[in-house]
Amino acid sequence: MSPRGFFIAIEGIDGIGKSTVFPFLAERLRKERIRHCFTHEPTDGAMGKKIYEILYGRLPMLAPRELQRLYIKD
């Protein structure tokens, strides 16, 4: 028997409100007694923190493929 469930991806440009949606979605899922798990990219791990530093201009920008490699490692 295969697992049943949903994979929901919330995508959009920076500042559109993706992070704002999560608490409302989590509350709705809790009310419906639906188990859930949220994740995001980049993560809060070492590679993710480096990606944030690059994206916010605190570290020099990398070539696209190098930045992609960081996301893969993250």
Side-chain angles (χ1 to χ4, degrees):
M1 186 167 155
S2 63
R4 297 189 326 168
F6 295 96
F7 177 81
I8 301 170
I10 299 175
E11 305 233 1
I13 61 173
D14 291 347
I16 198 92
K18 298 178 301 287
S19 297
T20 304
V21 169
F22 283 109
F24 296 105
L25 180 57
E27 181 59 26
R28 179 62 187 255
L29 293 172
R30 269 193 292 277
K31 284 182 180 179
E32 298 291 329
R33 296 178 187 235
I34 298 172
R35 289 184 358 195
H36 58 280
C37 174
F38 291 114
T39 186
H40 63 89
E41 293 178 350
T43 68
D44 294 329
M47 287 295 137
K49 287 178 182 176
K50 185 172 183 178
I51 293 168
Y52 276 117
E53 293 293 310
I54 293 167
L55 296 179
Y56 285 106
R58 294 187 281 261
L59 288 175
M61 181 52 74
L62 299 176
R65 287 187 189 260
E66 292 303 314
L67 190 57
Q68 181 183 28
R69 284 189 182 105
L70 285 181
Y71 271 96
I72 292 168
K73 288 180 181 180
D74 186 44

